[in-house]
Amino acid sequence: MGTPATTTARVPLVSVLEETIVAARAARRDDLVARLDAAAARVRDPRRRIVVAGQVDQGKSRFVNALLDVDICPVGDDTTTVAPMRLMSGESARAELVLAEPRDGAAETRVEVPIGDIASVASRSDLTQGRRILRWELQLPNPLLADGIVLVDTPGVGGHGTAGASGVLGVAQSADAVLVVTDASTEITAPELTFLRQVRELCPTVAVLLTKIDLYPHWRRVHEADVAHLAAAGLDVPIIPVSALLRTHALRLQDAQLGLESGYGTLYQFLREQVVARDQAATARAVAGDIHSAAEHLALALGSELVALRDPKQGAAAIEELRAARGSADQLQRRTAAWQQTLADGITDLAGDVDHDLRDRLRGIARTGEEWIDENDPGRNWEQIAEWLTGTVDNAIADNLLWTHRRAVALAERVAEHFSAVGAAELPDVRTDLDGESRCGKGTLADLEPDIGFGSKMLVGMRGSYGGILMVGLASTFAGLAMLNPISIGAGVIVGGKAFRDDKQARLARRRNEAKTAVRRFVDDVAFQAAKESKDRLHRIHRALRDHYAGVAERSVRSIDDSLRAAQEAASLENARRDERVQVLERQLRAVAELRRYADAMRAAADGVGGGGGVRSGGADQEGGESA
């Protein structure tokens, strides 16, 4: 196979995987074959998931349309994305609407929809039938998508009726890259910085797209201000100015200069260097780990048999060691194993802590809202209250999700420590295991009684003044004065004013009570739904970690059993066949050792260099005569 330092650059990864699969199949290790087959499938179909996210009305869907040179995502002043839209490569244009069954939230129903009807589906009850829209899945014959790119257009963050930051983060946490869109009309806002910080913690490859630079001549000043804001927030994230309109014109006119001004050339360079290359390096590291692990398992059985054939005394000692290791490995498979207890206790503690953290955040928000309501008139400022409440609750749920993610990673590492006695533990990709689209429904804030109008004020005052006039007028009549006299009129004004002030205070108190009730109901609805989402997420984490480490334990036991059986059979092998078997084993061990050295060299190369790769961009985005 050659020296590992030179072979890593010229031997196809799939070829090495196939050699390892052949060796595992020859050893009758179906468990290793299945794991290596999955790794080979990952190498042959390297789909890179790019999520487009951002606040409402920032131009996400228009950007996606311009990037793919299609008119597929609905755009317009009164149109917004209400569910994630996945765009993948396909032989023909095809759209499927994925709906959640009302009685079983885990069950999904797929409904095929004509491409031209995508924008009108949300209002068609005959298709949804009261079921919640989970996502769109679209297949398009497109050169960019054919390169293995999967684009995900997400609902706007901060808009009413959208999935919110928590829902978008649920999609972004398993992404290879996230493009956060903000337009050039104003500098980046505090909510956008908060969302960017949350995305950056979940996904290492993030870029900010400054859109609509064709509409705002001052976009360069906004760009400089945004760079300063990101630096002040400690966010090392590039900002790429782009224009979907210039990109569309450049493709239509095949104008290289317009393509350069659109900024999409810089975007493709970012995708090549930061997404494709990084993904290739990550894939190489993961596959190298699989090959190295498989080689270790195979070498254990081959080496044990070889030792027993060469020296029966050493073989007997090796058999005793394997029997002791068999007991330790067998302990890992039992339900009372230490790692399973650590995992179960960790999930139980995590569930309680996550629930407490979420409720504590929501109670603090509700308390702050009620204090603000006590000091202000909610009837006049209800829109501001609703906007603040939804945004703050959304950020609280998103921060709770990030906290859950960090605790889950720490738990996975803690469980892995129990496997150090048997061999190097294989850490799962918790980011992928956590993949689940958080769709926390936040309910609807109740409408409050509006502030009392001028006509109502007059009616209240007239009612009070009429009563005052009647009461004082009757008393003055007994004194010999007319019903309407200066005394009765003055009394009517005083009583009417007091009645108006009392009514105003009563209405304000009622509005405040209604506002507090609405806030509590809203927060309770959020807590109820978010708790269900949190429990489901923890169940997925528990199953993923349990299955992963159960597989590690099973492979360890299988390797030790095979080694023990091979060593015992070698001890009873006839002398005439020993030399022939030794030669076979030595040849197989050399091949396995070569695979292991290749895996080590490949991992070192992936850690040192990002790798190559490219993404097609189209002829209109040219820089210096080269296709961008």
Side-chain angles (χ1 to χ4, degrees):
M1 195 181 281
T3 16
T6 57
T7 52
T8 51
R10 55 186 175 83
V11 178
L13 194 55
V14 177
S15 301
V16 185
L17 273 169
E18 288 176 350
E19 289 184 24
T20 314
I21 290 172
V22 169
R25 190 171 283 121
R28 298 179 181 178
R29 291 297 303 270
D30 296 337
D31 53 339
L32 298 179
V33 170
R35 187 175 178 85
L36 294 169
D37 277 337
R42 208 161 55 238
V43 173
R44 293 189 187 99
D45 186 15
R47 295 192 178 186
R48 300 171 182 99
R49 196 179 187 192
I50 300 177
V51 173
V52 183
Q55 301 286 317
V56 178
D57 297 330
Q58 300 296 304
K60 297 186 302 300
S61 299
R62 195 180 297 276
F63 160 76
V64 172
N65 287 343
L67 183 65
L68 299 178
D69 191 24
V70 295
D71 187 13
I72 193 71
C73 297
V75 295
D77 295 335
D78 57 345
T79 304
T80 185
T81 304
V82 296
M85 184 176 290
R86 296 181 185 175
L87 297 102
M88 303 166 285
S89 177
E91 296 181 358
S92 59
R94 187 167 179 264
E96 281 188 337
L97 184 64
V98 183
L99 304 169
E101 289 296 333
R103 294 184 179 179
D104 185 1
E108 296 180 352
T109 301
R110 294 174 177 268
V111 179
E112 188 165 356
V113 178
I115 291 288
D117 295 346
I118 290 178
S120 60
V121 161
S123 59
R124 290 183 55 184
S125 57
D126 60 320
L127 282 177
T128 58
Q129 296 179 354
R131 294 170 293 187
R132 189 183 60 208
I133 299 177
L134 297 181
R135 64 185 178 275
W136 282 96
E137 291 191 358
L138 280 69
Q139 295 182 6
L140 298 172
N142 183 275
L144 177 64
L145 300 179
D147 279 344
I149 297 295
V150 177
L151 279 177
V152 183
D153 184 19
T154 60
V157 177
H160 296 291
T162 65
S166 57
V168 176
L169 290 177
V171 179
Q173 63 185 356
S174 60
D176 297 293
V178 179
L179 304 178
V180 180
V181 178
T182 179
D183 66 33
S185 60
T186 57
E187 299 174 16
I188 194 167
T189 62
E192 288 177 314
L193 284 175
T194 300
F195 177 70
L196 192 58
R197 173 187 59 79
Q198 294 167 341
V199 170
R200 186 68 178 81
E201 188 169 342
L202 285 176
C203 183
T205 308
V206 181
V208 174
L209 300 183
L210 187 65
T211 59
K212 304 179 184 179
I213 60 175
D214 55 287
L215 294 179
Y216 304 102
H218 60 280
W219 69 265
R220 289 179 178 84
R221 293 200 300 271
V222 174
H223 177 266
E224 292 174 0
D226 288 349
V227 171
H229 289 318
L230 292 181
L235 292 170
D236 184 16
V237 177
I239 302 179
I240 306 174
V242 294
S243 168
L245 184 62
L246 293 180
R247 158 78 172 179
T248 303
H249 287 321
L251 291 175
R252 181 171 53 85
L253 302 174
Q254 287 299 301
D255 190 325
Q257 183 60 31
L258 275 182
L260 181 63
E261 294 177 5
S262 71
Y264 277 69
T266 306
L267 173 62
Y268 276 107
Q269 182 180 0
F270 171 80
L271 294 178
R272 280 197 304 268
E273 296 176 357
Q274 299 298 322
V275 180
V276 175
R278 180 173 291 187
D279 179 70
Q280 288 177 341
T283 302
R285 280 191 293 270
V287 172
D290 289 337
I291 293 174
H292 188 280
S293 176
E296 290 285 352
H297 283 287
L298 295 174
L300 182 60
L302 296 173
S304 301
E305 185 178 359
L306 185 60
V307 166
L309 287 173
R310 283 178 173 174
D311 188 343
K313 292 183 180 179
Q314 289 187 3
I319 289 174
E320 291 302 319
E321 291 180 3
L322 286 170
R323 283 174 177 166
R326 176 65 172 80
S328 301
D330 187 55
Q331 178 63 30
L332 292 176
Q333 280 193 310
R334 296 176 185 172
R335 293 189 176 182
T336 56
W339 72 268
Q340 294 207 12
Q341 293 177 355
T342 299
L343 177 58
D345 293 344
I347 289 294
T348 302
D349 294 342
L350 182 56
D353 292 345
V354 166
D355 183 69
H356 180 269
D357 176 77
L358 179 62
R359 292 184 181 277
D360 183 62
R361 292 176 191 270
L362 295 179
R363 286 181 64 184
I365 293 171
R367 193 180 303 113
T368 303
E370 291 181 2
E371 291 173 356
W372 193 93
I373 289 171
D374 284 334
E375 298 172 358
N376 298 272
D377 185 353
R380 297 180 179 179
N381 304 281
W382 185 242
E383 290 185 1
Q384 292 89 331
I385 297 175
E387 183 179 354
W388 170 83
L389 189 60
T390 53
T392 309
V393 165
D394 203 22
N395 286 333
I397 296 175
D399 287 336
N400 181 260
L401 174 65
L402 295 177
W403 190 67
T404 304
H405 173 75
R406 290 192 293 268
R407 290 283 302 271
V409 172
L411 177 60
E413 293 173 348
R414 197 159 66 248
V415 174
E417 295 174 359
H418 292 282
F419 290 80
S420 58
V422 177
E426 304 162 11
L427 277 172
D429 185 358
V430 181
R431 177 177 65 89
T432 304
D433 292 336
L434 285 175
D435 185 20
E437 296 169 7
S438 179
R439 300 175 291 272
C440 180
K442 300 183 183 63
T444 305
L445 290 173
D447 294 331
L448 293 182
E449 176 188 355
D451 190 20
I452 182 171
F454 180 71
S456 298
K457 293 176 182 177
M458 286 191 62
L459 289 175
V460 171
M462 287 175 65
R463 285 198 302 269
S465 62
Y466 174 75
I469 291 172
L470 182 61
M471 180 179 62
V472 178
L474 287 175
S476 60
T477 302
F478 289 110
L481 300 176
M483 176 71 75
L484 293 176
N485 56 69
I487 298 176
S488 64
I489 293 175
V493 171
I494 295 173
V495 175
K498 184 178 185 307
F500 167 71
R501 288 192 298 273
D502 291 345
D503 184 79
K504 182 179 179 181
Q505 291 297 323
R507 284 176 176 268
L508 179 59
R510 187 162 59 249
R511 283 197 299 274
R512 284 174 174 168
N513 288 331
E514 290 176 355
K516 291 179 181 179
T517 302
V519 168
R520 293 190 198 103
R521 185 166 58 245
F522 176 76
V523 171
D524 286 343
D525 290 342
V526 170
F528 176 76
Q529 185 65 27
K532 176 65 169 63
E533 294 286 343
S534 179
K535 288 178 182 177
D536 292 343
R537 187 180 300 114
L538 291 175
H539 287 326
R540 289 195 298 270
I541 294 172
H542 189 192
R543 284 193 295 267
L545 294 179
R546 182 198 60 203
D547 294 345
H548 172 81
Y549 287 114
V552 174
E554 183 181 351
R555 286 191 291 274
S556 300
V557 171
R558 176 77 182 273
S559 296
I560 293 175
D561 280 343
D562 289 352
S563 303
L564 187 58
R565 184 174 57 256
Q568 290 172 340
E569 290 176 355
S572 60
L573 193 65
E574 297 177 0
N575 292 333
R577 298 180 55 191
R578 282 177 178 268
D579 293 340
E580 180 183 351
R581 183 58 181 166
V582 164
Q583 293 177 1
V584 172
L585 290 174
E586 288 177 345
R587 186 169 60 253
Q588 292 177 342
L589 272 174
R590 280 195 297 269
V592 169
E594 189 69 22
L595 289 173
R596 186 168 51 191
R597 284 194 295 271
Y598 180 90
D600 292 338
M602 183 170 56
R603 184 182 296 172
D607 290 337
V609 227
V615 177
R616 285 196 290 267
S617 62
D621 301 311
Q622 294 183 352
E623 294 178 339
E626 260 182 52
S627 172

